[in-house]
Amino acid sequence: MAGIYSLSSTRGINGTNENIPVKRPKIIESGKITVVLGTQWGDEGKGKVVDLLCDSADVVCRCQGGNNAGHSVVVDGKEYFFHILPSGIVNPHCMAVIGNGVVIHLPNLFEEVEKNLKHGLPNWEKRLLISDRAHLVFDLHQTVDGLHESKRGKNLIGTTKKGIGPAYASKATRNGLRICDLMGNFDNFSEKFQNLVDHHKRMFPDLDVDVSAELQKYKELREKIRPMVTDTVCYLHKATKEGKNILIEGAQSTILDIDFGLYPYVTSSNCSVGGVCTGLGIPPCNVGNVFGVVKAYLTRVGKGGFPTELKEDLGQLLATRGGEIGVTTGRPRRCGWLDAVMLKFSHMVNGFTSLAITKLDILDVFDEIKIGVAYYLDGEKLETFPASDENLKRVEVEYKTFPGWRTNTEETRKFADLPREAQDYCKAIEDLVGVPVWWIGVGKARDSIIQVH
Ligand code: GDP
């Protein structure tokens, strides 16, 4: 089977630690689905990890969210930006699937294709498959997203205003429209669309929707997407049976998950491992390796608790070196030290088989580096990550301090060639989370990565 690696070592990088579940998985298992998920508050660099795995993948899928995600992938010096397209679309041999759990704004999808076409996306129309069960995001959802946010006053959630939350709300209230509605009888589609408009007008009487213009637009769009629309559950079932390598690209991240994140400061879908099964129709027994992507430090967009936040110069240094500005929103991200309490919780939810540490190079200039290893609330040590942001704001953090390496690591390609202090930092992450580290990112470029043997 093409592109399957199997590392000889059966241990993580910390070969001396007996507590680590040490069995190293094959990178992509035939007949099993490989998953890449964020472990923190998003923006971990999942795009690069997915891109690496794409070399061995036949199919790359998105299972949740919409164009509120923001992946960037650098190939041959060209930077692609993806919001809803699975980033596997950059690889000419890869099929790209947008699953039933995704909500799709079709005009935005085509704009995204257009923007990336200048770098080349060979044969993309033949390689993109869209689930007939996926829900549509309309312009009215985007308008309503903004209206909801403006009504929240000082309790802003920080939505990307892409209409994702309102589209999932329509799905839950059973008046959403799906791709299969668009593909079917257009009169029925028109009637359902009018119902959706009426429903929103009852909440927002001033909502202005040009129904006939919108319907005309969708009449044209449906012919554009018709060749791409299919029952992706069936497609993936067959692909699994044929032993194809299937890769799932998680968007957002575990601590933004609607169930496991700090509600209401969450996204509107399950971006942890469960969303893979519900968002693609994949049975849990077919899930193989689950890669957790860990940024070597921590960032958060918007308000809320951030126990390991660095507010002064060090935070600014992380932000500047790490280019911590949102791809989708353009908003600056808050920065702080890595949080192992969060990572352990993330592992509980997802059962990671391996970790990919990204952006280690951003820490190259620090004299000392810290990891938050325990939380205390009202003097009591917490056993796990809190459910509420109110409590997260109040915790006190116990840190473990590591000496910095003050060496440029960008050109390093072997774990053994990393400065001893950098090795120790990565080993500590492996130890604290209890999951072997598979990759370490040391730069923006596609090949700036260390595969740990
Ligand atoms: P995502 O939201 O998790 O998909 O994050 P992206 O894939 O968009 O990555 C965020 C940014 O981090 C992008 O600009 C990447 O090029 C960059 N990045 C990823 N890995 C590394 C790394 O190891 N070092 C550095 N310096 N940048 C990285």
Side-chain angles (χ1 to χ4, degrees):
M1 186 60 51
I4 295 181
Y5 304 81
S6 177
L7 295 187
S8 53
S9 163
T10 54
R11 271 191 195 281
I13 49 184
N14 191 348
T16 56
N17 189 308
E18 295 303 327
N19 297 324
I20 295 174
V22 287
K23 202 167 174 300
R24 272 202 185 281
K26 284 180 181 170
I27 216 163
I28 286 191
E29 290 175 279
S30 179
K32 291 278 185 190
I33 279 123
T34 304
V35 182
V36 177
L37 297 174
T39 59
Q40 299 156 310
W41 270 309
D43 311 308
E44 293 94 350
K46 295 179 287 294
K48 185 161 143 182
V49 176
V50 169
D51 180 42
L52 272 164
L53 286 163
C54 276
D55 282 345
S56 336
D58 303 306
V59 187
V60 179
C61 315
R62 277 281 306 273
C63 60
Q64 45 71 227
N67 61 329
N68 52 342
H71 287 301
S72 57
V73 177
V74 179
V75 183
D76 298 332
K78 296 171 205 149
E79 191 159 21
Y80 293 82
F81 289 100
F82 297 123
H83 298 287
I84 190 161
L85 284 170
S87 52
I89 200 93
V90 292
N91 294 49
H93 64 271
C94 230
M95 292 299 289
V97 172
I98 299 182
N100 58 277
V102 178
V103 290
I104 311 172
H105 186 274
L106 288 174
N108 285 173
L109 170 70
F110 284 102
E111 281 162 28
E112 185 176 321
V113 168
E114 285 302 319
K115 274 191 197 149
N116 284 297
L117 273 179
K118 62 177 186 289
H119 294 326
L121 292 176
N123 255 339
W124 73 271
E125 298 101 320
K126 294 208 169 68
R127 294 187 296 110
L128 180 66
L129 299 178
I130 300 174
S131 167
D132 52 1
R133 292 181 170 86
H135 276 250
L136 288 163
V137 182
F138 293 101
D139 288 358
L140 76 90
H141 287 124
Q142 300 189 335
T143 310
V144 163
D145 211 352
L147 293 171
H148 277 309
E149 189 76 340
S150 60
K151 283 191 170 183
R152 287 189 187 109
K154 64 179 175 49
N155 299 317
L156 291 183
I157 285 179
T159 147
T160 54
K161 303 198 182 99
K162 300 284 181 191
I164 310 302
Y168 277 117
S170 295
K171 178 176 177 174
T173 45
R174 270 67 58 83
N175 58 9
L177 279 87
R178 298 189 292 168
I179 295 281
C180 55
D181 296 316
L182 182 60
M183 294 299 112
N185 179 311
F186 201 74
D187 288 341
N188 291 347
F189 177 83
S190 307
E191 196 183 318
K192 286 181 183 174
F193 181 70
Q194 185 65 58
N195 285 343
L196 184 72
V197 174
D198 294 344
H199 170 83
H200 283 91
K201 280 203 161 188
R202 283 192 286 276
M203 283 185 287
F204 298 101
D206 296 336
L207 186 70
D208 187 19
V209 182
D210 185 340
V211 173
S212 59
E214 196 69 353
L215 286 173
Q216 184 54 38
K217 191 163 80 187
Y218 276 84
K219 213 171 203 170
E220 288 161 27
L221 283 166
R222 77 177 190 150
E223 297 317 319
K224 260 176 118 170
I225 62 159
R226 194 178 290 284
M228 303 168 207
V229 174
T230 191
D231 181 340
T232 53
V233 176
C234 195
Y235 174 83
L236 290 172
H237 179 76
K238 279 194 199 144
T240 313
K241 285 211 147 175
E242 287 165 12
K244 294 258 166 67
N245 292 331
I246 301 171
L247 177 65
I248 316 300
E249 170 178 347
Q252 291 91 38
S253 209
T254 305
I255 309 300
L256 294 172
D257 183 286
I258 189 157
D259 282 281
F260 303 112
L262 294 152
Y263 192 90
Y265 303 108
V266 290
T267 195
S268 4
S269 60
N270 283 118
C271 24
S272 52
V273 74
V276 171
C277 299
T278 57
L280 287 161
I282 287 173
C285 58
N286 283 358
V287 174
N289 288 319
V290 183
F291 289 89
V293 185
V294 178
K295 182 147 56 178
Y297 50 97
L298 185 59
T299 56
R300 182 171 192 180
V301 177
K303 293 188 339 163
F306 189 164
T308 60
E309 184 170 16
L310 292 163
K311 291 205 170 114
E312 309 290 328
D313 296 356
L314 291 181
Q316 193 51 50
L317 186 57
L318 280 173
T320 314
R321 285 183 56 76
E324 297 298 349
I325 292 176
V327 174
T328 306
T329 59
R331 279 181 292 186
R333 301 178 188 133
R334 295 154 67 194
C335 297
W337 298 125
L338 194 71
D339 185 334
V341 184
M342 173 188 281
L343 292 179
K344 280 193 233 178
F345 176 70
S346 212
H347 176 44
M348 274 188 231
V349 171
N350 295 302
F352 298 121
T353 53
S354 302
L355 299 180
I357 299 174
T358 57
K359 295 188 139 186
L360 187 74
D361 54 299
I362 304 306
L363 300 176
D364 283 352
V365 298
F366 286 79
D367 290 327
E368 65 177 24
I369 297 160
K370 295 186 185 189
I371 300 181
V373 294
Y375 285 170
Y376 293 83
L377 187 65
D378 301 327
E380 296 266 337
K381 187 171 178 177
L382 294 188
E383 203 168 333
T384 183
F385 194 71
S388 81
D389 204 69
E390 285 79 17
N391 281 347
L392 190 73
K393 277 186 192 141
R394 294 174 50 233
V395 299
E396 284 179 37
V397 185
E398 179 187 323
Y399 287 98
K400 200 168 173 186
T401 304
F402 299 82
W405 43 95
R406 299 192 58 87
T407 310
N408 188 326
T409 57
E410 264 191 71
E411 303 302 322
T412 313
R413 294 293 175 268
K414 286 193 190 137
F415 184 70
D417 294 342
L418 277 175
R420 169 62 51 194
E421 295 83 357
Q423 290 187 22
D424 288 345
Y425 183 70
C426 295
K427 283 176 186 173
I429 298 173
E430 192 170 81
D431 266 355
L432 286 162
V433 189
V435 180
V437 170
W438 187 280
W439 279 307
I440 301 168
V442 289
K444 225 172 155 48
R446 196 183 204 189
D447 64 341
S448 301
I449 198 135
I450 296 168
Q451 184 163 331
V452 180
H453 285 262

